[in-house]
Amino acid sequence: MKLTVVGCSGSFPSAESACSSYLVEADGFRLLLDMGNGALGELQRHCGLYDLDAIFLSHLHADHCIDMCGYFVARYYRHEGGRCGPLPVYGPEGTEKRLTTAYEDVPDERSMSEVFDFRTLKSGAFEIGPFQVRTERVSHPVEAYGIRVEHDGRSLAYSGDTGVCAELGALAEGVDLFLCEASFTHGKEDIPDLHLNGREAGECARDGRVGRLVLTHIPPWTDARQNLADARAVYDGPVDLAYAGAVYEV
């Protein structure tokens, strides 16, 4: 599998990166994990507008899904080649309504579903193209899911947004690459069931015996280097800070 970091900033875009969005590719199939603020523009550096095969939305906070509104415009009003067919979009219950409300001025209440095939996420195992995936609901103020993606004996997990929870540990267990949020700073913020800090991400990677940890979703106001140091203090495997344009062969 090939993983490309399209955007990795938490809460709002930074000067260097759009918000959460990650492209996973294998066997010519392109699965996008989240499409936060600014991600649609950055995505076009890595693939064509109409080359995606499926989208996974971990939850419906704007920094993970709001650029779906712009993507609706690109698919619905395409000038050359006509309107795009429905693209599978896996998201929490109410995804279509949330995006329709955010865009507001859609031609009618079913317009989104003309170009997006909305599929409601639940915890479980299923297939997306060539990928075997498992999703688990994680700890966040809104319905939110982490995902484990496997292909040809290799695996990666993406936390989405979450606090410490057993479900995240289960998704990360033994993966080759763990893409994990680290929004908070150890010893500074302590809000259960909201976000992780760098140390907690490192502990999850250590306990799950993952092959590589990549810290992501770090807001512009958080010291990323401190989070990196905190993760390394408890996990002795390779740890990276995600950055826009980073590519990993998994």
Side-chain angles (χ1 to χ4, degrees):
M1 292 183 287
K2 177 183 176 182
L3 169 67
T4 302
V5 177
V6 178
C8 56
S9 185
S11 300
F12 59 95
S14 71
E16 292 79 30
S17 178
C19 284
S20 291
S21 191
Y22 313 92
L23 182 64
V24 183
E25 301 174 79
D27 295 347
F29 191 95
R30 295 180 174 92
L31 169 63
L32 190 70
L33 310 178
D34 284 340
M35 192 184 283
N37 319 38
L40 183 60
E42 290 299 311
L43 178 65
Q44 294 171 71
R45 298 180 185 273
H46 308 290
C47 77
L49 268 176
Y50 308 109
D51 292 338
L52 292 178
D53 296 292
I55 297 173
F56 164 87
L57 298 177
S58 64
H59 64 292
L60 300 179
H61 281 157
D63 59 328
H64 292 259
C65 73
I66 200 62
D67 267 27
M68 290 290 292
C69 291
Y71 196 39
F72 164 75
V73 173
R75 296 184 67 83
Y76 192 88
Y77 296 105
R78 183 171 62 166
H79 292 292
E80 296 182 7
R83 186 172 300 162
C84 295
L87 177 74
V89 175
Y90 299 82
E93 187 172 358
T95 295
E96 179 178 6
K97 181 179 179 181
R98 180 59 176 269
L99 295 178
T100 299
T101 301
Y103 188 81
E104 186 179 24
D105 191 26
V106 291
D108 62 67
E109 62 181 13
R110 298 296 296 164
S111 294
M112 283 274 181
S113 62
E114 292 185 46
V115 293
F116 297 133
D117 176 12
F118 292 101
R119 304 181 184 189
T120 301
L121 280 174
K122 299 294 180 185
S123 296
F126 53 100
E127 294 181 359
I128 302 178
F131 302 115
Q132 299 289 329
V133 306
R134 175 182 169 190
T135 55
E136 293 286 354
R137 185 165 178 175
V138 292
S139 296
H140 203 51
V142 300
E143 186 177 359
Y145 292 87
I147 187 171
R148 181 186 181 111
V149 183
E150 300 184 7
H151 175 73
D152 197 24
R154 305 291 287 175
S155 57
L156 66 87
Y158 167 49
S159 66
D161 280 9
T162 183
V164 175
C165 62
E167 291 81 3
L168 180 62
L171 287 176
E173 181 70 32
V175 294
D176 297 293
L177 186 146
F178 183 28
L179 183 62
C180 186
E181 75 119 289
S183 306
F184 287 163
T185 303
H186 176 61
K188 181 180 178 184
E189 300 104 338
D190 183 17
I191 306 172
D193 303 321
L194 183 57
H195 289 298
L196 301 171
N197 58 48
R199 183 181 181 88
E200 290 166 337
E203 289 170 342
C204 189
R206 178 198 64 201
D207 295 346
R209 301 181 300 279
V210 309
R212 176 181 292 273
L213 173 62
V214 180
L215 301 177
T216 192
H217 196 272
I218 300 177
W221 52 48
T222 297
D223 184 346
R225 291 292 168 184
Q226 183 62 56
N227 282 13
L228 180 64
D230 289 343
R232 286 176 170 166
V234 294
Y235 169 66
D236 60 8
V239 188
D240 300 328
L241 291 174
Y243 64 90
V247 175
Y248 295 89
E249 297 293 337
V250 182

